[in-house]
Amino acid sequence: MLNRRKVLGGIAGGAGVAGLASPALAKGTRELSMVTSWPKNFPGQGTSAERIADSVQRMTDGRITIKVYGAGELVPAFEVFDAVSSGKADMYHSADYYFQGKSSAYNFFSTVPFGLISNELDAWVYHGGGQELWDEVSAGFGIKPHLCGNNGVQMGGWFNKEINSPEDFKGLKFRMPGVGGEVLRRLGANTLTMPAGEVYTSLQSGAIDAAEWVGPWNDLSLGFYKVAKYYYWPGFHEPASTLCLGTNKTLWDGLDAFDQNAIATACRVENTAVPAEFYFNNMKALETLVDDHGVELREMPADVFNAFGEQTEIVLKELADKDAITRKVYESYVSFRNDVSKWTRVSNGAYIANRQLFLEKLLKP
Ligand code: CA
């Protein structure tokens, strides 16, 4: 059955740049390039990209091989989108909110403050019209997007100042990029963006008062516990940061149903594997931070969280005004969020709240 496939050599996708493209290597076989926004084999994101490549190779019995490039190897981290759009590379593995400069709509396919959690996001993308909208936005750039994982609800961040009320954000120097950063700015914070390496030294020197990164797993490895007093929970700003495999659309459209299915299935598998890996490692790393490093966990006060919500609604509405397609995506996303919250309230939300009350009694020392 596998040998019935037609030769794919004439299909473009990566054509045009010698050595980087994807010419047929032999009858029915091809090598594709995948550029990523992570260091090669970066735990979580980078290792997932490698698993997608391995999985597609196995499912196609070796006919399709995918060479994975770490950030900067073929193109810099944030140029992967342009590389695939132009056909310089065949696929990118990244998070689409990095490309909000291309369209503000991309925020909604990654994560936005007060947005969907992972099961809700999967429901929207797979069943609630999200994929169709994502296809529409990305087709404009010659890209076919696939959901391929997310790292769940992020932490509120590392602080050297206590947060007791929304007033405490006035003048606070806080590393938080994107839409979340804009929300904090509306509360009077001085928000900054900087790469991981600079966050540590900036917290240490007092150049910033607070910083968010991801969650216990990633944050532990960066050592923030050594330079910040409090670790606040939960984050409002990234409830389900998703990963995307974006494939050059000309290449994608030229693949037959078998090969399209292999890529789509590899992504679907990772969409479960990545959250499981983050959940497990976050659980272990949180234990290490608290038990071994004495990190002080603090809950973000309810009125502060509410203030985040009020500003988020304003910022998201402004985002929707950017252009027609962003408005369309915003309306679908927000109406889905408002509808699904009614189910989440009586299912996951209520169950987890009640289980926690019981466990706190049961596990009391
Ligand atoms: Ca983050």
Side-chain angles (χ1 to χ4, degrees):
M1 283 295 280
L2 292 178
N3 293 327
R4 74 187 153 71
R5 296 183 69 283
K6 61 181 179 288
V7 179
L8 290 170
I11 295 162
V17 180
L20 308 180
S22 51
L25 299 176
K27 189 175 179 180
T29 69
R30 60 189 309 162
E31 183 180 307
L32 304 179
S33 56
M34 185 200 292
V35 287
T36 71
S37 299
W38 337 108
K40 184 100 170 142
N41 281 313
F42 186 66
Q45 292 88 338
T47 48
S48 176
E50 298 286 347
R51 285 197 302 260
I52 291 173
D54 290 347
S55 180
V56 170
Q57 184 171 344
R58 277 186 278 110
M59 279 191 277
T60 60
D61 208 18
R63 283 180 301 95
I64 296 181
T65 53
I66 300 175
K67 186 163 169 48
V68 180
Y69 294 89
E73 288 184 347
L74 198 56
V75 293
F78 301 129
E79 287 175 26
V80 298
F81 185 97
D82 284 340
V84 172
S85 181
S86 69
K88 184 178 179 183
D90 296 314
M91 304 167 150
Y92 71 76
H93 187 270
S94 188
D96 268 2
Y97 59 6
Y98 294 142
F99 314 120
Q100 58 184 291
K102 304 290 179 188
S103 170
S104 296
Y106 276 123
N107 286 296
F108 297 97
F109 303 113
S110 291
T111 193
V112 292
F114 282 77
L116 304 171
I117 60 166
S118 62
N119 344 26
E120 296 171 339
L121 187 110
D122 290 349
W124 178 61
V125 169
Y126 291 145
H127 303 285
Q131 183 70 54
E132 290 76 7
L133 287 167
W134 202 1
D135 286 345
E136 189 182 336
V137 172
S138 292
F141 300 96
I143 289 167
K144 164 66 188 176
H146 281 99
L147 193 60
C148 57
N150 83 76
N151 50 39
V153 175
Q154 297 202 355
M155 286 292 277
W158 297 89
F159 289 70
N160 276 320
K161 287 188 179 166
E162 265 185 89
I163 296 298
N164 297 309
S165 84
E167 296 293 305
D168 291 328
F169 282 89
K170 291 220 162 75
L172 195 81
K173 288 170 283 177
F174 197 146
R175 183 264 169 207
M176 186 187 282
V179 183
E182 184 54 34
V183 169
L184 291 180
R185 197 170 297 125
R186 305 295 170 99
L187 287 171
N190 175 10
T191 55
L192 307 95
T193 302
M194 61 184 71
E198 285 174 37
V199 174
Y200 184 94
T201 49
S202 301
L203 276 171
Q204 191 173 37
S205 70
I208 57 174
D209 305 307
E212 72 81 45
W213 189 248
V214 180
W217 185 26
N218 295 150
D219 294 6
L220 172 65
S221 68
L222 291 168
F224 296 148
Y225 63 88
K226 295 177 201 160
V227 288
K229 272 190 207 158
Y230 312 113
Y231 197 19
Y232 271 90
W233 57 275
F236 72 96
H237 56 296
E238 296 190 53
S241 295
T242 63
L243 301 174
C244 173
L245 185 78
T247 304
N248 178 282
K249 192 167 183 305
T250 309
L251 165 72
W252 175 261
D253 290 343
L255 295 174
D256 66 16
F258 187 97
D259 290 348
Q260 285 187 345
N261 187 57
I263 293 169
T265 301
C267 289
R268 196 108 178 181
V269 168
E270 280 308 299
N271 199 42
T272 307
V274 172
E277 191 177 24
F278 269 89
Y279 222 90
F280 177 78
N281 286 299
N282 279 331
M283 172 187 89
K284 303 307 278 183
L286 185 66
E287 268 175 19
T288 303
L289 286 169
V290 173
D291 297 347
D292 300 347
H293 300 303
V295 166
E296 194 172 331
L297 288 176
R298 289 284 179 96
E299 183 174 8
M300 199 60 85
D303 63 332
V304 172
F305 219 83
N306 186 61
F308 292 152
E310 286 171 357
Q311 295 306 317
T312 294
E313 285 309 287
I314 296 167
V315 171
L316 291 184
K317 281 199 180 95
E318 289 174 6
L319 207 61
D321 287 337
K322 296 257 181 186
D323 53 62
I325 186 76
T326 304
R327 155 82 39 201
K328 197 168 154 187
V329 174
Y330 164 85
E331 280 172 1
S332 169
Y333 185 96
V334 167
S335 93
F336 190 88
R337 179 197 63 180
N338 298 348
D339 288 346
V340 80
S341 72
K342 295 167 196 162
W343 166 238
T344 299
R345 173 175 177 261
V346 301
S347 56
N348 287 4
Y351 170 72
I352 290 169
N354 283 296
R355 186 184 66 177
Q356 197 59 29
L357 283 177
F358 176 72
L359 288 180
E360 274 165 23
K361 272 194 291 180
L362 187 74
L363 303 175
K364 213 180 228 166

